[in-house]
Amino acid sequence: MKKVGVLGRGTMALGIVQVFAQKGYEVVVWVRSIDENNKRASIAPVEKAFGKLVTKEKMSKEDMEKALSLISITTSYDDLKDCDLIIEAISEDMDIKKETFKKLDGGCKKEAILATNTSSLSITEIANATNRPDKVIGMHFFNPVPVMKLIEVIKGIATSEETKKSIFELAIELDKVAVEVEEAPGFVVNRILIPMINEAVGILADGVATAKDIDEAMKLGANHPIGPLALADLIGLDVCLAIMDVLYEEFKDSKYRAHPLLRKMVRGNLLGRKTKKGFFEY
Ligand code: CAA
């Protein structure tokens, strides 16, 4: 694989763009809309991240310029037509994803693998919107993408062994570790992690401990790098809520019911780092 398309401009999409460009892949970033006067604005966080690495002397200026020169930005599906792999990292909305995959299937070369970074939706259902379900796969990265080693590789019902093998080989090239996961709501990590966060929200709502102390307890008592509430702020409370809702919807088990405080905070736009306020202020 040489040329990769990435759909989206959110934290996950741009993290994925950064990782591929840094490893020497040509990356086409597809975004819904673009500022024609300042096209590069869409990838400003990637430029900033590279700038930080240069300041820390973890990347040379030449390597930064080379990596940036590999990234192009487009609003046209046409520019994705010769990509070997396309990774979709747009909204967690099944209808939007199906519509997107249908368009990708129609426009991309027939050998291309179409991957989704969905954190909990069905790969089988997304793949079914295409005429190449054997080449559709889940490639679930973790936030922050440049730091986190794991990629959950999720097969839909029709995903071929060949497609899976290509993604496993790619993970090695990216210096990541792939874990094979059968399709199931929340896959592995989010089925464990997000209910844990939801429980921390319940503990806070019950007045058992303050947000700071809940996090301190889990850092020092369970050796987590950051506490569950700070992690919720990092992931985004809207994303956590959406994942809880998918788990509840799919399993119909009350243990996956989102805590009302989590829902209330999302309704109040207290989404964590991205809105500068969640369980903590930024
Ligand atoms: N992008 C790139 N690098 C980053 C970064 C980012 N957003 N955030 C931190 N880093 C780097 C820092 O630059 C630093 O690098 P150096 O050591 O080379 O200087 C290193 O990571 C450590 O950072 P810090 O010292 O600032 O802070 P830290 O020690 O708390 O580490 C962390 C930050 C790596 C994010 C750590 O807190 C951590 O591992 N947290 C847990 C993250 C996690 O669980 N992510 C999974 C979320 S679930 C998910 O993503 C799936 C989903 O579908 C919802």
Side-chain angles (χ1 to χ4, degrees):
M1 288 184 197
K2 287 199 170 63
K3 191 168 176 180
V4 177
V6 178
L7 272 58
R9 69 192 314 170
T11 312
M12 297 304 287
L14 294 184
I16 295 167
V17 170
Q18 180 183 333
V19 166
F20 275 97
Q22 221 169 327
K23 289 285 176 191
Y25 291 81
E26 203 182 326
V27 189
V28 183
V29 187
W30 178 92
V31 291
R32 205 179 303 275
S33 62
I34 216 164
D35 177 355
E36 282 302 336
N37 299 319
N38 185 9
K39 268 190 157 191
R40 304 295 283 186
S42 314
I43 58 151
V46 179
E47 293 182 355
K48 199 171 155 198
F50 283 148
K52 268 194 194 162
L53 290 174
V54 171
T55 309
K56 285 192 203 165
E57 294 183 351
K58 293 194 166 173
M59 188 183 208
S60 69
K61 220 163 177 257
E62 296 72 50
D63 285 348
M64 172 176 86
E65 271 149 23
K66 186 171 167 246
L68 286 173
S69 73
L70 290 169
I71 306 174
S72 59
I73 304 147
T74 185
T75 52
S76 164
Y77 278 86
D78 224 32
D79 293 324
L80 299 167
K81 65 176 185 293
D82 55 351
C83 288
D84 306 301
L85 166 71
I86 293 106
I87 305 175
E88 167 277 312
I90 56 170
S91 339
E92 284 289 85
D93 179 308
M94 182 54 90
D95 290 337
I96 296 176
K97 289 206 193 286
K98 286 203 280 197
E99 193 191 319
T100 302
F101 273 72
K102 200 172 168 190
K103 280 192 210 150
L104 289 174
D105 185 40
C108 296
K109 66 180 178 187
K110 67 175 191 329
E111 308 81 34
I113 293 178
L114 308 181
T116 170
N117 180 54
T118 181
S119 50
S120 57
L121 299 176
S122 164
I123 310 303
T124 301
E125 190 172 347
I126 295 170
N128 205 30
T130 73
N131 289 315
R132 61 176 99 185
D134 57 316
K135 291 196 168 57
V136 177
I137 196 159
M139 233 183 137
H140 186 214
F141 290 82
F142 292 81
N143 187 7
V145 181
V147 180
M148 303 297 284
K149 281 278 184 189
L150 181 68
I151 303 176
E152 284 181 319
V153 178
I154 307 110
K155 291 180 303 172
I157 200 163
T159 310
S160 70
E161 277 301 306
E162 197 189 336
T163 301
K164 186 194 86 186
K165 195 164 159 267
S166 302
I167 300 301
F168 265 73
E169 284 167 5
L170 175 66
I172 295 169
E173 298 278 319
L174 295 175
D175 206 17
K176 301 275 184 204
V177 176
V179 165
E180 184 175 344
V181 181
E182 293 300 329
E183 181 168 308
F187 315 133
V188 172
V189 174
N190 283 343
R191 182 158 158 197
I192 298 172
L193 196 61
I194 308 298
M196 180 197 73
I197 288 172
N198 195 49
E199 198 60 39
V201 178
I203 292 171
L204 179 69
D206 289 349
V208 176
T210 63
K212 186 169 164 284
D213 284 347
I214 292 168
D215 274 16
E216 195 72 349
M218 289 304 285
K219 279 199 289 184
L220 302 180
N223 233 359
H224 288 193
I226 54 173
L229 299 174
L231 183 56
D233 283 351
L234 176 76
I235 294 170
L237 272 59
D238 52 340
V239 177
C240 294
L241 177 63
I243 295 169
M244 282 308 291
D245 284 346
V246 168
L247 291 173
Y248 186 65
E249 184 57 36
E250 293 275 336
F251 288 113
K252 303 277 189 295
D253 184 330
S254 62
K255 76 178 175 182
Y256 296 118
R257 198 165 50 204
H259 195 282
L261 176 59
L262 180 61
R263 200 174 296 283
K264 188 155 101 181
M265 289 178 74
V266 171
R267 285 177 177 157
N269 203 37
L270 304 175
L271 306 183
R273 285 178 182 266
K274 61 184 154 191
T275 56
K276 304 207 175 339
K277 200 160 188 257
F279 294 105
F280 302 97
E281 288 190 17
Y282 300 91

